[in-house]
Amino acid sequence: MPIANAWVFTETNFKADEFLTNTHNLYRLVSQRPYISKRDPNESGVTLTLSITKDETEYGVDKKSGLKRDNNVLNTFDVTVLNNKTSIEVQKGEYVKLINFIPEKSFVIEFDLILRFEDVEKVNVNKK
């Protein structure tokens, strides 16, 4: 008989350094909303939906189609910034970089990413 609730004893890690490097740690803000942990109300911040602006990751070739796999440019993802603020001073469409990944508070559950960072910083990008 298999172990019941084996997920309690397993963990999957997110390679944050590789992700930040390959995406140049440069993301466009799509939206933001306040966050308060259900487990610890003192743990609060802002959940951001970000759009990936660059991606230099090599994803290989799809085995079925034989076509090169697409990158994540323009895809969105959510992160929570645990900075004890209810919002950040960044407008929709402006650019940010993420600061200090918190691995002990981040999780990968199947294909869902729950990513936590200590802070976020606005980045001025010159548009050509």
Side-chain angles (χ1 to χ4, degrees):
M1 174 190 271
I3 297 173
N5 300 313
W7 60 271
V8 172
F9 307 105
T10 62
E11 64 180 48
T12 304
N13 298 317
F14 182 71
K15 299 176 185 176
D17 291 336
E18 186 177 342
F19 175 75
L20 295 172
T21 298
N22 289 0
T23 58
H24 294 238
N25 195 4
L26 182 66
Y27 314 100
R28 198 164 191 185
L29 180 66
V30 175
S31 66
Q32 62 176 304
R33 63 189 178 279
Y35 167 83
I36 298 176
S37 171
K38 293 175 186 171
R39 291 184 183 176
D40 180 4
N42 293 322
E43 191 173 274
S44 65
V46 184
T47 297
L48 307 173
T49 299
L50 302 174
S51 176
I52 297 172
T53 60
K54 297 180 181 188
D55 185 3
E56 295 180 350
T57 307
E58 180 56 51
Y59 295 102
V61 175
D62 184 276
K63 292 177 185 176
K64 291 182 181 177
S65 69
L67 298 173
K68 183 178 175 184
R69 289 189 179 111
D70 200 7
N71 62 33
N72 285 313
V73 172
L74 298 180
N75 289 359
T76 61
F77 66 105
D78 289 345
V79 299
T80 301
V81 178
L82 300 176
N83 58 3
N84 295 319
K85 297 179 182 176
T86 57
S87 66
I88 60 170
E89 298 283 330
V90 179
Q91 301 300 310
K92 186 175 185 174
E94 294 182 324
Y95 295 85
V96 297
K97 74 176 188 175
L98 299 167
I99 300 170
N100 296 334
F101 179 66
I102 309 171
E104 62 275 6
K105 294 185 180 185
S106 299
F107 306 95
V108 178
I109 302 170
E110 294 183 2
F111 293 103
D112 293 326
L113 302 175
I114 300 167
L115 306 176
R116 308 279 195 252
F117 287 83
E118 288 180 8
D119 212 349
V120 63
E121 181 179 296
K122 182 177 176 179
V123 176
N124 292 321
V125 174
N126 292 331
K127 297 177 185 171
K128 295 179 181 181

